[in-house]
Amino acid sequence: MGELILCRAPLTASPYYIEEKSLNIYSLEELSYYLAHNIYLLRPDFMNPDLIRWIGQDLGETKLAESLKGLMDRKAPLHIFISRILEETGYLTPPEIQRTVREIETFESKGEVESRKIRADHLLQEGHVMDAVREYEGILKDSERLKSSAELQGDLWHNLGVGQVRLLSFPEAEDSFRRAYEKNHRTISLCSLLESCLIEGNEEAYKENLHRYLVPPDLQKEVEDAVRIEAEAEPLVKFGEDVDSAFSQVVTSEGRTVSKDIRDTIEQWKQDYLLQS
């Protein structure tokens, strides 16, 4: 896991496999570390018979396993189940346990679509692009059934487009950003759509979108200036990555973007270009 973890008992020869991270866990301490650092990957099905069996049989923690089975049978909330593991292990300090459990509880209180979106956002930010794209597609497939808001659906389409850009799938990204803007009406989604058209060299689609969405001249100029500057300064692939980092920002559940405002980014690009000239 990249860090030295002190275990109070010998490591088991039969690890517990966590599919989301393709990770083998050999002790309760490693399990506690994973729980504390991967809160947004946790799903309700983490509370399952296989995990309890591993804790009881492979680790020899029979009392803890019995307690966890009782919680599972009573359909206790996930944060209670995890709290029991963390408290028994003693790897985290009490304040760390409280903070972890509180974050899980907050995460549980959100609706299904929003909580799944948070997981997908986390995957995207961690660089698991293909996994994130599949997750966004699955959420969008279920979003109408789950009656999510148009704004939330738009943010899902936007973040799907971000993943597609990072996979250099620009035609698919254009479609996703278009759907995003028509639902969430965020400027960042509109800019991402225009940027994708220009990177792909689809001038016809670019002009069509300028007309369709009545893009003001100042915003059009900002998009074109940023694309022109980067196109002159960088090879195409590196250029696409840089433009993506500025325009295709992940929209959080609160409607904020993860990175700084697009205007600041463009201004920094201009300053960097002048310094290099």
Side-chain angles (χ1 to χ4, degrees), residues 119-134:
R119 292 189 188 97
D121 293 348
H122 184 79
L123 287 169
L124 186 60
Q125 292 162 25
E126 290 294 313
H128 304 290
V129 182
M130 286 296 298
D131 291 336
V133 166
R134 284 193 290 265

Side-chain angles (χ1 to χ4, degrees), residues 23-80:
L23 182 68
N24 284 324
I25 298 291
Y26 291 86
S27 68
L28 280 179
E29 287 79 7
E30 287 185 339
L31 181 60
S32 294
Y33 181 93
Y34 171 81
L35 294 172
H37 290 82
N38 295 278
I39 290 170
Y40 299 123
L41 294 183
L42 299 176
R43 300 174 181 271
D45 59 7
F46 182 81
M47 183 168 46
N48 66 79
D50 289 338
L51 174 62
I52 295 172
R53 189 180 306 110
W54 176 76
I55 290 174
Q57 295 180 5
D58 293 283
L59 295 182
E61 299 285 349
T62 55
K63 289 185 178 181
L64 174 59
E66 289 175 4
S67 175
L68 295 174
K69 185 178 184 305
L71 291 173
M72 184 182 68
D73 290 344
R74 295 195 299 273
K75 298 182 179 180
L78 181 62
H79 72 275
I80 299 296

Side-chain angles (χ1 to χ4, degrees), residues 61-277:
E61 299 285 349
T62 55
K63 289 185 178 181
L64 174 59
E66 289 175 4
S67 175
L68 295 174
K69 185 178 184 305
L71 291 173
M72 184 182 68
D73 290 344
R74 295 195 299 273
K75 298 182 179 180
L78 181 62
H79 72 275
I80 299 296
F81 183 87
I82 290 175
S83 174
R84 182 71 185 88
I85 295 174
L86 297 178
E87 290 171 353
E88 177 66 23
T89 306
Y91 175 73
L92 300 178
T93 64
E96 288 173 334
I97 292 174
Q98 291 175 7
R99 182 170 61 252
T100 300
V101 172
R102 186 165 55 248
E103 288 187 42
I104 296 171
E105 185 177 10
T106 300
F107 183 59
E108 282 184 293
S109 68
K110 298 181 180 298
E112 181 178 344
V113 173
E114 189 175 3
S115 62
R116 289 172 64 185
K117 177 184 178 298
I118 292 172
R119 292 189 188 97
D121 293 348
H122 184 79
L123 287 169
L124 186 60
Q125 292 162 25
E126 290 294 313
H128 304 290
V129 182
M130 286 296 298
D131 291 336
V133 166
R134 284 193 290 265
E135 186 73 10
Y136 287 127
E137 290 174 340
I139 301 169
L140 285 164
K141 185 177 180 180
D142 294 339
S143 61
E144 291 188 9
R145 173 180 63 81
L146 297 170
K147 299 180 180 179
S148 59
S149 67
E151 184 177 59
L152 179 55
Q153 290 183 41
D155 292 347
L156 285 164
W157 279 112
H158 179 98
N159 292 358
L160 173 60
V162 173
Q164 291 165 332
V165 165
R166 293 180 184 176
L167 296 174
L168 302 182
S169 301
F170 293 106
E172 292 82 359
E174 287 176 32
D175 180 65
S176 294
F177 289 133
R178 182 180 298 107
R179 290 170 181 261
Y181 182 64
E182 290 178 353
K183 287 183 176 293
N184 64 15
H185 306 294
R186 300 191 193 281
T187 301
I188 189 63
S189 295
L190 176 58
C191 288
S192 297
L193 168 60
L194 298 173
E195 168 258 329
S196 296
C197 292
L198 288 177
I199 292 177
E200 191 191 6
N202 193 341
E203 189 71 22
E204 182 179 352
Y206 176 70
K207 291 180 179 178
E208 180 183 337
N209 287 314
L210 289 177
H211 177 73
R212 176 184 297 174
Y213 301 115
L214 303 176
V215 179
D218 58 339
L219 184 59
Q220 177 183 346
K221 185 176 185 304
E222 287 180 353
V223 170
E224 293 176 355
D225 283 351
V227 170
R228 175 181 54 78
I229 290 171
E230 281 300 305
E232 292 172 353
E234 303 287 348
L236 180 59
V237 173
K238 179 66 165 61
F239 159 58
E241 294 172 350
D242 288 344
V243 176
D244 165 50
S245 69
F247 287 99
S248 300
Q249 303 168 55
V250 173
V251 179
T252 67
S253 299
E254 293 76 23
R256 295 179 288 103
T257 52
V258 171
S259 52
K260 60 184 178 178
D261 185 84
I262 188 172
R263 296 176 185 273
D264 294 336
T265 303
I266 293 172
E267 184 59 35
Q268 184 60 53
W269 275 358
K270 292 177 180 178
Q271 295 300 322
D272 292 344
Y273 181 74
L274 291 174
L275 289 173
Q276 295 171 7
S277 301

